[in-house]
Amino acid sequence: MTFGFAPASAAASTSAASANRLLEPAEWAAAGIPLLRDPREVVSGLHARHHPQPATAVVAVLDPDERLRASASFVRRPALADGWMFRNVLLAQLRRVIPHDLRRRTPVRTAVLLYCREGDARWTEEDGAWMWGLRDACTLHGLRCGAYITLTRDGWQVLGEGRGGRRPHSASAPEPFAASEAVPPLPRTGGAASEVLRRAAAAR
């Protein structure tokens, strides 16, 4: 076994591999990312809950009915945009807020990422690194990889889909929570449970 410095060609290949830890919009669109049924409701709900400022990322886990099950926000540290680093921080946040689904043969829950940043809505290499990181973090946590959404001064946009809107945007005040986060109505079925509810209501 010999020790020494890696030749320049090896160092260059390592740098190239690091630079490739991003996804182009065409690659993202071809990856079969599931479409959100109501992206504006998801964006508005996350914006109201976390009120992200530029350089803030919000990762959220949705159930099959697109109800929010868990979410976390954090500020991106000033460093080189690298998909591997983004993967690690996203995975740490997911592990903190929700158990993994690695025992399932097929993922049931979906993770989406909302990133608030400066600039316009056009794709950047930083977006590509977040996409790479989200896809890898989802695989390691047993989740489906969902939408990547940018929030800029122009509004919000689901990259790779072409869907977006003017509000909310990176400087707007938070809107009320989405209707999906409202308290569910009381059950309408009869039986002992309904009788208990009626008695409780009558006692008020």
Side-chain angles (χ1 to χ4, degrees):
M1 182 180 295
T2 59
F3 297 90
F5 293 102
S9 59
S13 63
T14 301
S15 176
S18 176
N20 286 335
R21 287 195 286 252
L22 58 83
L23 293 175
E24 301 276 351
E27 295 176 295
W28 182 257
I33 305 300
L35 301 179
L36 290 170
R37 289 195 296 271
D38 192 344
R40 189 184 188 284
E41 181 177 340
V42 172
V43 173
S44 297
L46 294 179
H47 185 266
R49 180 177 291 271
H50 295 277
H51 197 198
Q53 302 296 312
T56 302
V58 181
V59 61
V61 178
L62 309 178
D63 69 11
D65 295 322
E66 289 192 3
R67 290 189 295 258
L68 181 65
R69 289 306 175 203
S71 64
S73 61
F74 56 94
V75 177
R76 172 190 172 342
R77 295 180 178 178
L80 180 69
D82 180 78
W84 184 79
M85 295 174 61
F86 289 169
R87 184 277 307 272
N88 289 344
V89 71
L90 288 171
L91 190 57
Q93 295 293 330
L94 288 170
R95 286 170 173 166
R96 184 173 65 85
V97 298
I98 199 163
H100 68 74
D101 275 349
L102 293 172
R103 293 186 179 88
R104 293 182 178 273
R105 290 188 176 183
T106 304
V108 174
R109 297 181 293 191
T110 302
V112 300
L113 179 62
L114 171 71
Y115 183 53
C116 182
R117 61 169 173 78
E118 302 286 0
D120 56 33
R122 288 176 293 183
W123 180 88
T124 67
E125 289 191 356
E126 182 184 25
D127 295 325
W130 279 117
M131 291 171 167
W132 192 98
L134 176 63
R135 185 185 64 177
D136 220 40
C138 288
T139 299
L140 294 174
H141 206 63
L143 302 171
R144 288 201 309 170
C145 180
Y148 173 70
I149 307 159
T150 58
L151 190 69
T152 67
R153 63 175 180 268
D154 297 329
W156 59 271
Q157 180 173 338
V158 185
L159 290 192
E161 295 183 19
R163 294 192 291 174
R166 294 183 179 274
R167 294 188 66 85
H169 53 77
S170 58
S172 61
E175 299 180 5
F177 281 114
S180 60
E181 303 219 7
V183 177
L186 295 176
R188 297 180 181 178
T189 57
S194 296
E195 182 62 28
V196 170
L197 290 173
R198 281 196 294 269
R199 289 177 181 176
R204 292 178 183 174

